[in-house]
Amino acid sequence: MNVLGIESSCDETGASIVVDGKTMLSNVVASSLELHRYYGGVVPEIAARSHIDSIIPVIEESIDSSGLGWQDIDAIAVTYGAGLGGCLLIGVMTARTLAITKNKPLYAVNHVAGHVYANFITHTKLDGYKLPSSEPDFPMLALIVSGGHSQLVFFTNHFEYKLLGQTRDDAIGEAFDKVARIIGLPYPGGPSIAEVALSGDPYRFNLPKSKMSKYDFSFSGLKTAVLRLSQELIGEDYRFPSYMLSERLDLAQKANIAASFQRIAVESVVDKALIAYEEYLPKSFVIAGGVASNAELRKQIENRFPIKVEYTDPKLCTDNGAMIACLGYYQAKLDINLSDPYSLPIQPNLSM
Ligand code: KG4
Ligand code: ZN
């Protein structure tokens, strides 16, 4: 079964064709990231307008580069939530139109669950992808760490899961982005912090780890602690404006803050994932979402988890159409969320 997956929930326009939920034939992503850099974060209106420009060329390229034609596509899967309303609308309206005009079944896919399914893609002939050697077994524990979500989910089977915990305030990726902004690193903050942290000392500063209930996360206190620490380092108090901090911090201070923040942020999610692992004893553990490509996260998992954990390629951790096509395949197989192309609405606040 060949599924075309379409993704447009934030600043990436993605389209991909995946066969039987495991073999990726094409994966095309156009990002409006450069347009947002000046503002230090995604501007929803700009992102939505970029989707309008990119979505048709991205879908066409995903089909052309797959070696298939429209006649070979068995279903269309599209992200209908969670995400930015204006952005979701472009993907959903495009998918609805294509489902009608090309006469294909349409499946509405949850973006956050889609991130988890990036781990089920195990084969591709495309260059530059390092994929897991096999798909994860159930029961499966998933740590979802993205710019919008931080969640621990225990899956007993496809579409049978329990949300164990989630963030009470900021998502972990959001914390990376905000801390990067405080110390003057470019957006998106995750990769910038990871890079600068390489030359810093992760034990230089003792930043606080949140004390939330068993499986819940919190990152706003850590972010504020970075702000206070930065003010202190330049000899100012809490009244000093955050936007003026970065020019007063030197490179070594920035690197040490980045490394110390990254260590603690990552430790706090790995701590909880490990407790959940020991309680639920899953057969597999997967990480998903943009922050799943973080090298410190992978290192801490390797050092602390008793099982060998497989990871997907960083290009499938951030937003893409392949993960949506993959989950769409399982939905088609199990008849979940087959949608009316004349009425499928977006759901910006959709949760797991
Ligand atoms: O999953 P994603 O592409 O979008 C959402 O659904 O939110 O995640 C984007 C987030 C951003 O906050 C970005 O800073 C973070 O993932 N990120 C990283 C890394 N690469 C992307 N965070 C830490 N380390 C990275 N290498
Ligand atoms: Zn995402």
Side-chain angles (χ1 to χ4, degrees):
M1 183 173 194
N2 304 316
V3 180
L4 165 66
I6 299 174
E7 158 62 35
S8 73
S9 65
C10 192
D11 58 343
E12 266 97 25
T13 319
S16 159
I17 294 173
V18 175
V19 186
D20 294 340
K22 62 165 159 258
T23 305
M24 182 170 68
L25 298 185
S26 64
N27 185 37
V28 182
V29 179
S31 179
S32 57
L33 192 146
E34 289 302 329
L35 302 176
H36 306 293
R37 196 159 269 158
Y38 171 77
Y39 305 95
V42 175
V43 183
E45 262 303 307
I46 294 177
R49 282 164 199 270
S50 301
H51 288 306
I52 295 175
D53 293 338
S54 321
I55 197 146
I56 297 295
V58 164
I59 292 171
E60 277 175 351
E61 194 184 330
S62 77
I63 293 176
D64 290 348
S65 61
S66 73
L68 304 182
W70 270 108
Q71 70 282 0
D72 306 309
I73 305 295
D74 299 302
I76 298 175
V78 65
T79 299
Y80 76 120
L84 300 167
C87 296
L88 291 167
L89 266 178
I90 312 302
V92 167
M93 292 311 291
T94 306
R96 283 171 52 175
T97 307
L98 288 170
I100 294 166
T101 55
K102 306 286 185 188
N103 197 22
K104 309 287 178 189
L106 176 67
Y107 291 88
V109 174
N110 178 322
H111 176 83
V112 183
H115 272 300
V116 174
Y117 277 74
N119 290 286
F120 285 75
I121 299 169
T122 49
H123 293 76
T124 190
K125 285 190 179 145
L126 299 174
D127 285 339
Y129 286 88
K130 198 171 173 301
L131 300 178
S133 61
S134 61
E135 64 186 57
D137 288 323
F138 293 106
M140 166 181 84
L141 177 67
L143 172 67
I144 303 164
V145 279
S146 74
H149 295 83
S150 305
Q151 298 183 325
L152 261 175
V153 185
F154 180 64
F155 286 78
T156 44
N157 209 333
H158 296 294
F159 311 106
E160 288 168 21
Y161 60 80
K162 181 172 152 190
L163 176 63
L164 302 181
Q166 57 190 330
T167 184
R168 292 287 170 187
D169 39 59
D170 293 352
I172 182 170
E174 198 180 345
F176 269 87
D177 295 337
K178 287 176 176 169
V179 165
R181 214 165 150 170
I182 294 173
I183 61 175
L185 304 180
Y187 176 83
S192 308
I193 293 222
E195 195 190 324
V196 170
L198 291 174
S199 50
D201 174 3
Y203 293 92
R204 175 66 185 80
F205 301 116
N206 221 345
L207 292 163
K209 217 188 271 183
S210 78
K211 294 188 178 60
M212 280 284 139
S213 59
K214 205 165 177 187
Y215 294 127
D216 284 339
F217 307 110
S218 161
F219 294 98
S220 68
L222 175 58
K223 176 193 67 191
T224 307
V226 169
L227 175 62
R228 297 284 174 263
L229 167 68
S230 305
Q231 289 163 327
E232 202 181 300
L233 285 173
I234 60 160
E236 299 282 353
D237 70 11
Y238 69 93
R239 286 167 299 189
F240 190 81
S242 61
Y243 69 91
M244 288 169 71
L245 274 169
S246 74
E247 62 203 48
R248 301 256 309 261
L249 291 165
D250 64 33
L251 284 178
Q253 286 170 324
K254 289 183 184 184
N256 289 334
I257 294 172
S260 302
F261 159 78
Q262 178 177 249
R263 176 181 64 84
I264 290 291
V266 165
E267 245 178 59
S268 59
V269 292
V270 175
D271 286 354
K272 306 247 163 162
L274 200 54
I275 298 172
Y277 176 82
E278 281 159 0
E279 180 173 340
Y280 289 89
L281 294 174
K283 280 202 183 129
S284 63
F285 171 56
V286 298
I287 56 175
V291 185
S293 55
N294 184 271
E296 172 71 15
L297 174 61
R298 294 180 177 203
K299 189 180 97 191
Q300 287 194 24
I301 289 171
E302 257 139 43
N303 289 343
R304 297 178 63 190
F305 266 70
I307 46 166
K308 176 151 173 35
V309 177
E310 290 214 78
Y311 307 104
T312 190
D313 193 273
K315 292 188 282 303
L316 293 185
C317 291
T318 43
D319 294 347
N320 63 83
M323 65 189 199
I324 304 304
C326 177
L327 178 49
Y329 162 75
Y330 287 98
Q331 289 186 200
K333 207 168 98 169
L334 299 167
D335 198 19
I336 289 174
N337 263 6
L338 176 61
S339 303
D340 180 358
Y342 288 94
S343 65
L344 173 66
I346 57 164
Q347 286 198 33
N349 297 322
L350 187 68
S351 59
M352 282 281 296

Short mmCIF file of all heavy atoms in Angstrom, two decimals, residues 303-334:
data_model
loop_
_atom_site.label_atom_id
_atom_site.label_comp_id
_atom_site.label_asym_id
_atom_site.label_seq_id
_atom_site.Cartn_x
_atom_site.Cartn_y
_atom_site.Cartn_z
N ASN A 303 23.98 5.66 27.94
CA ASN A 303 24.68 5.42 29.21
C ASN A 303 23.78 4.86 30.29
O ASN A 303 24.24 4.15 31.17
CB ASN A 303 25.28 6.74 29.74
CG ASN A 303 26.44 7.18 28.88
OD1 ASN A 303 26.99 6.39 28.12
ND2 ASN A 303 26.82 8.45 29.01
N ARG A 304 22.49 5.19 30.24
CA ARG A 304 21.64 4.84 31.38
C ARG A 304 20.62 3.73 31.12
O ARG A 304 20.16 3.10 32.07
CB ARG A 304 20.91 6.10 31.85
CG ARG A 304 21.90 7.16 32.35
CD ARG A 304 21.21 8.44 32.78
NE ARG A 304 20.31 8.24 33.91
CZ ARG A 304 19.44 9.16 34.35
NH1 ARG A 304 19.38 10.33 33.74
NH2 ARG A 304 18.65 8.90 35.37
N PHE A 305 20.21 3.52 29.85
CA PHE A 305 19.18 2.50 29.62
C PHE A 305 19.78 1.11 29.52
O PHE A 305 20.83 0.92 28.91
CB PHE A 305 18.39 2.83 28.33
CG PHE A 305 17.14 3.60 28.61
CD1 PHE A 305 17.20 4.92 29.02
CD2 PHE A 305 15.88 3.00 28.50
CE1 PHE A 305 16.06 5.64 29.31
CE2 PHE A 305 14.73 3.71 28.77
CZ PHE A 305 14.81 5.02 29.18
N PRO A 306 19.09 0.12 30.10
CA PRO A 306 19.63 -1.24 30.09
C PRO A 306 19.44 -1.96 28.75
O PRO A 306 19.96 -3.06 28.58
CB PRO A 306 18.81 -1.94 31.19
CG PRO A 306 17.55 -1.16 31.29
CD PRO A 306 17.86 0.24 30.89
N ILE A 307 18.66 -1.36 27.82
CA ILE A 307 18.50 -2.02 26.52
C ILE A 307 19.15 -1.17 25.44
O ILE A 307 19.36 0.02 25.61
CB ILE A 307 17.01 -2.23 26.12
CG1 ILE A 307 16.21 -0.94 26.36
CG2 ILE A 307 16.41 -3.42 26.80
CD1 ILE A 307 14.85 -0.94 25.71
N LYS A 308 19.41 -1.82 24.29
CA LYS A 308 19.96 -1.07 23.17
C LYS A 308 18.80 -0.33 22.49
O LYS A 308 17.81 -0.94 22.09
CB LYS A 308 20.65 -2.03 22.19
CG LYS A 308 21.16 -1.31 20.98
CD LYS A 308 22.38 -1.93 20.34
CE LYS A 308 22.73 -1.24 19.02
NZ LYS A 308 22.48 0.20 18.97
N VAL A 309 18.93 0.98 22.42
CA VAL A 309 17.86 1.78 21.83
C VAL A 309 18.26 2.17 20.41
O VAL A 309 19.40 2.57 20.16
CB VAL A 309 17.62 3.05 22.69
CG1 VAL A 309 16.55 3.93 22.05
CG2 VAL A 309 17.20 2.64 24.11
N GLU A 310 17.31 1.99 19.48
CA GLU A 310 17.59 2.38 18.09
C GLU A 310 16.96 3.75 17.82
O GLU A 310 15.89 4.07 18.36
CB GLU A 310 17.00 1.35 17.14
CG GLU A 310 17.75 0.03 17.20
CD GLU A 310 17.76 -0.61 15.84
OE1 GLU A 310 18.56 -0.19 14.98
OE2 GLU A 310 16.96 -1.54 15.64
N TYR A 311 17.62 4.52 16.98
CA TYR A 311 17.13 5.86 16.68
C TYR A 311 16.88 6.00 15.19
O TYR A 311 17.55 5.37 14.39
CB TYR A 311 18.16 6.91 17.09
CG TYR A 311 18.62 6.78 18.50
CD1 TYR A 311 19.87 6.23 18.79
CD2 TYR A 311 17.79 7.18 19.54
CE1 TYR A 311 20.29 6.10 20.09
CE2 TYR A 311 18.21 7.04 20.85
CZ TYR A 311 19.46 6.50 21.12
OH TYR A 311 19.87 6.35 22.40
N THR A 312 15.96 6.92 14.87
CA THR A 312 15.80 7.20 13.45
C THR A 312 16.73 8.33 13.04
O THR A 312 17.38 8.96 13.89
CB THR A 312 14.34 7.49 13.08
OG1 THR A 312 14.25 7.51 11.64
CG2 THR A 312 13.87 8.84 13.61
N ASP A 313 16.77 8.60 11.77
CA ASP A 313 17.64 9.65 11.25
C ASP A 313 17.15 11.02 11.74
O ASP A 313 15.94 11.25 11.82
CB ASP A 313 17.58 9.61 9.71
CG ASP A 313 18.66 10.44 9.09
OD1 ASP A 313 18.46 11.64 8.89
OD2 ASP A 313 19.73 9.86 8.82
N PRO A 314 18.08 11.94 12.08
CA PRO A 314 17.65 13.28 12.51
C PRO A 314 16.66 13.96 11.55
O PRO A 314 15.79 14.69 11.98
CB PRO A 314 18.97 14.07 12.57
CG PRO A 314 20.00 13.03 12.86
CD PRO A 314 19.54 11.78 12.17
N LYS A 315 16.78 13.64 10.25
CA LYS A 315 15.87 14.27 9.29
C LYS A 315 14.42 13.77 9.46
O LYS A 315 13.48 14.40 9.00
CB LYS A 315 16.33 13.98 7.85
CG LYS A 315 17.63 14.67 7.49
CD LYS A 315 17.97 14.53 6.02
CE LYS A 315 18.55 13.17 5.66
NZ LYS A 315 19.76 12.75 6.40
N LEU A 316 14.26 12.62 10.13
CA LEU A 316 12.90 12.14 10.39
C LEU A 316 12.44 12.48 11.81
O LEU A 316 11.33 12.13 12.21
CB LEU A 316 12.81 10.63 10.14
CG LEU A 316 12.99 10.19 8.68
CD1 LEU A 316 12.77 8.68 8.54
CD2 LEU A 316 12.06 10.95 7.74
N CYS A 317 13.31 13.14 12.59
CA CYS A 317 12.92 13.58 13.94
C CYS A 317 12.13 14.88 13.86
O CYS A 317 11.12 15.05 14.53
CB CYS A 317 14.14 13.78 14.83
SG CYS A 317 14.98 12.24 15.25
N THR A 318 12.61 15.82 13.04
CA THR A 318 11.86 17.07 12.86
C THR A 318 10.70 16.80 11.89
O THR A 318 10.59 15.71 11.33
CB THR A 318 12.79 18.18 12.32
OG1 THR A 318 13.62 17.62 11.31
CG2 THR A 318 13.69 18.74 13.41
N ASP A 319 9.84 17.80 11.74
CA ASP A 319 8.60 17.58 11.00
C ASP A 319 8.83 17.14 9.55
O ASP A 319 9.66 17.71 8.85
CB ASP A 319 7.76 18.87 11.01
CG ASP A 319 7.30 19.22 12.42
OD1 ASP A 319 7.40 18.36 13.31
OD2 ASP A 319 6.82 20.35 12.60
N ASN A 320 8.07 16.15 9.12
CA ASN A 320 8.22 15.61 7.77
C ASN A 320 6.94 14.86 7.37
O ASN A 320 6.12 14.51 8.24
CB ASN A 320 9.43 14.65 7.72
CG ASN A 320 9.24 13.45 8.63
OD1 ASN A 320 8.60 12.47 8.25
ND2 ASN A 320 9.75 13.53 9.86
N GLY A 321 6.79 14.61 6.07
CA GLY A 321 5.59 13.92 5.59
C GLY A 321 5.69 12.41 5.75
O GLY A 321 4.66 11.72 5.80
N ALA A 322 6.91 11.87 5.87
CA ALA A 322 7.08 10.41 5.92
C ALA A 322 6.43 9.82 7.18
O ALA A 322 5.76 8.78 7.12
CB ALA A 322 8.57 10.06 5.87
N MET A 323 6.61 10.49 8.31
CA MET A 323 6.02 9.97 9.55
C MET A 323 4.48 9.97 9.46
O MET A 323 3.82 9.09 10.01
CB MET A 323 6.50 10.79 10.76
CG MET A 323 6.05 12.23 10.76
SD MET A 323 6.88 13.18 12.07
CE MET A 323 5.77 14.60 12.21
N ILE A 324 3.94 10.94 8.72
CA ILE A 324 2.48 11.03 8.56
C ILE A 324 2.00 9.92 7.62
O ILE A 324 0.98 9.27 7.88
CB ILE A 324 2.09 12.44 8.02
CG1 ILE A 324 2.63 13.54 8.96
CG2 ILE A 324 0.57 12.57 7.83
CD1 ILE A 324 2.21 13.45 10.41
N ALA A 325 2.76 9.67 6.56
CA ALA A 325 2.42 8.57 5.64
C ALA A 325 2.48 7.23 6.37
O ALA A 325 1.64 6.35 6.18
CB ALA A 325 3.38 8.57 4.46
N CYS A 326 3.49 7.08 7.24
CA CYS A 326 3.67 5.82 7.97
C CYS A 326 2.47 5.56 8.90
O CYS A 326 1.86 4.50 8.86
CB CYS A 326 4.98 5.88 8.76
SG CYS A 326 5.25 4.43 9.77
N LEU A 327 2.13 6.57 9.71
CA LEU A 327 0.98 6.38 10.61
C LEU A 327 -0.31 6.23 9.79
O LEU A 327 -1.19 5.43 10.16
CB LEU A 327 0.89 7.55 11.60
CG LEU A 327 -0.27 7.54 12.58
CD1 LEU A 327 -0.42 6.20 13.30
CD2 LEU A 327 -0.09 8.66 13.63
N GLY A 328 -0.39 6.94 8.66
CA GLY A 328 -1.57 6.84 7.79
C GLY A 328 -1.77 5.40 7.30
O GLY A 328 -2.89 4.92 7.19
N TYR A 329 -0.67 4.72 7.04
CA TYR A 329 -0.76 3.32 6.59
C TYR A 329 -1.44 2.46 7.67
O TYR A 329 -2.33 1.67 7.38
CB TYR A 329 0.63 2.77 6.27
CG TYR A 329 0.67 1.27 6.23
CD1 TYR A 329 0.14 0.56 5.15
CD2 TYR A 329 1.21 0.54 7.30
CE1 TYR A 329 0.14 -0.82 5.14
CE2 TYR A 329 1.21 -0.84 7.30
CZ TYR A 329 0.68 -1.52 6.21
OH TYR A 329 0.67 -2.89 6.20
N TYR A 330 -0.98 2.62 8.93
CA TYR A 330 -1.57 1.81 10.01
C TYR A 330 -3.04 2.19 10.21
O TYR A 330 -3.87 1.33 10.53
CB TYR A 330 -0.76 1.96 11.31
CG TYR A 330 0.55 1.22 11.23
CD1 TYR A 330 1.73 1.88 10.91
CD2 TYR A 330 0.60 -0.15 11.42
CE1 TYR A 330 2.93 1.21 10.80
CE2 TYR A 330 1.79 -0.85 11.30
CZ TYR A 330 2.96 -0.16 11.00
OH TYR A 330 4.14 -0.85 10.88
N GLN A 331 -3.37 3.47 10.02
CA GLN A 331 -4.77 3.89 10.14
C GLN A 331 -5.61 3.23 9.04
O GLN A 331 -6.72 2.76 9.29
CB GLN A 331 -4.89 5.42 10.07
CG GLN A 331 -4.34 6.08 11.31
CD GLN A 331 -4.55 7.59 11.38
OE1 GLN A 331 -3.87 8.26 12.12
NE2 GLN A 331 -5.50 8.13 10.63
N ALA A 332 -5.05 3.19 7.83
CA ALA A 332 -5.78 2.58 6.72
C ALA A 332 -5.99 1.09 6.98
O ALA A 332 -7.06 0.54 6.79
CB ALA A 332 -5.03 2.79 5.42
N LYS A 333 -4.91 0.46 7.49
CA LYS A 333 -4.97 -0.99 7.74
C LYS A 333 -6.00 -1.32 8.82
O LYS A 333 -6.69 -2.32 8.74
CB LYS A 333 -3.57 -1.44 8.18
CG LYS A 333 -3.28 -2.89 7.85
CD LYS A 333 -1.81 -3.21 8.03
CE LYS A 333 -1.56 -3.86 9.37
NZ LYS A 333 -0.24 -4.41 9.51
N LEU A 334 -6.08 -0.47 9.82
CA LEU A 334 -6.97 -0.75 10.95
C LEU A 334 -8.25 0.09 10.92
O LEU A 334 -8.99 0.14 11.88
CB LEU A 334 -6.21 -0.54 12.28
CG LEU A 334 -4.99 -1.45 12.43
CD1 LEU A 334 -4.09 -1.01 13.56
CD2 LEU A 334 -5.42 -2.89 12.63
#
